[in-house]
Amino acid sequence: MNASQPDCTAAKPSVESESETCAVVGAAPRVSLPYDTPIFLVGMMGAGKTTIGRSLARVLGRDFVDLDHELESRCGVRVPVIFEIEGEAGFRKREAAALANCAARRGIVLATGGGAILAAENRAVLREQGIVVYLRASVDELYRRTCRDKNRPLLATADPRGTLRDLLARREPLYREVAHLVIETGCVPVSTLVKQLTPKLQAYEKQA
């Protein structure tokens, strides 16, 4: 594994396979924002960050970046392998370095990993350098979307639903702390969610 720090390259198909988010995205008219401040999507695994992020970036005419894929591209292995070799602490260190690098880019939509908000320095980067959207979903929805995914090391337990419940209970206050906007995903078509989110982003005023 390459031990050098992760950097930002073109995003590849998502590690967080969130295609279960209820609907296929249809064509949508282009929407412009009055700023190039990066948009950061946070939320639990399975919340829809990748699926919604790609659609949102397409509508806004922005580049889409997936933080887990940045790590995979740099390390040359998948996230579960990074966990296996370096443990969660090693993974989080790499994640923080990649986030700091990517957050400096303007005009992007960035899908973070579900645990990126655990580190105080990451929360500061997210809150200060971009507009943070918390994509919220219930435990039942999260479980439905992730129960067949074998690429989520934190859910490799005897009780993945209980693990999701515990993770959400611990992380919810941190997602709320860092978020500028909160969107309930639920079982709503991705195109509808993006239509709900874009006017909120257009109206949001933040000093760049």
Side-chain angles (χ1 to χ4, degrees), residues 35-208:
Y35 49 76
D36 66 352
T37 308
I39 297 167
F40 303 136
L41 304 182
V42 303
M44 287 284 291
M45 61 185 90
K49 299 185 296 294
T50 296
T51 305
I52 295 169
R54 282 202 181 102
S55 178
L56 179 64
R58 189 159 50 245
V59 168
L60 297 179
R62 293 186 170 210
D63 291 334
F64 173 72
V65 180
D66 182 288
L67 192 60
D68 279 348
H69 275 167
E70 300 303 324
L71 287 167
E72 291 189 331
S73 176
R74 185 65 177 178
C75 297
V77 296
R78 305 207 58 185
V79 166
V81 179
I82 302 175
F83 265 80
E84 180 181 352
I85 295 174
E86 300 188 348
E88 184 172 0
F91 173 80
R92 296 301 176 198
K93 183 177 180 180
R94 289 181 177 274
E95 181 180 58
L99 176 61
N101 190 313
C102 293
R105 292 176 57 178
R106 311 297 292 182
I108 66 169
V109 174
L110 173 69
T112 65
I117 45 73
L118 294 174
E121 60 267 33
N122 288 353
R123 296 197 299 275
V125 166
L126 290 167
R127 184 80 188 178
E128 294 168 9
Q129 294 188 225
I131 296 174
V132 184
V133 180
Y134 171 27
L135 300 179
R136 190 177 186 283
S138 69
V139 170
D140 286 344
E141 273 298 311
L142 296 172
Y143 179 72
R144 184 183 67 80
R145 298 172 190 171
T146 60
C147 62
R148 293 183 296 275
D149 192 337
K150 304 302 182 184
N151 292 310
R152 299 181 186 277
L154 292 180
L155 296 186
T157 68
D159 181 16
R161 185 192 293 269
T163 299
L164 282 169
R165 182 176 58 250
D166 293 342
L167 287 172
L168 181 58
R170 291 197 300 269
R171 294 177 179 182
E172 172 86 5
L174 301 179
Y175 292 134
R176 295 279 185 181
E177 173 190 326
V178 77
H180 298 100
L181 299 169
V182 178
I183 294 290
E184 297 283 344
T185 60
C187 193
V188 179
V190 173
S191 56
T192 299
L193 289 170
V194 171
K195 287 177 182 177
Q196 292 172 352
L197 180 55
T198 49
K200 295 178 184 293
L201 290 170
Q202 286 179 308
Y204 194 86
E205 294 184 6
K206 178 180 174 132
Q207 294 297 319

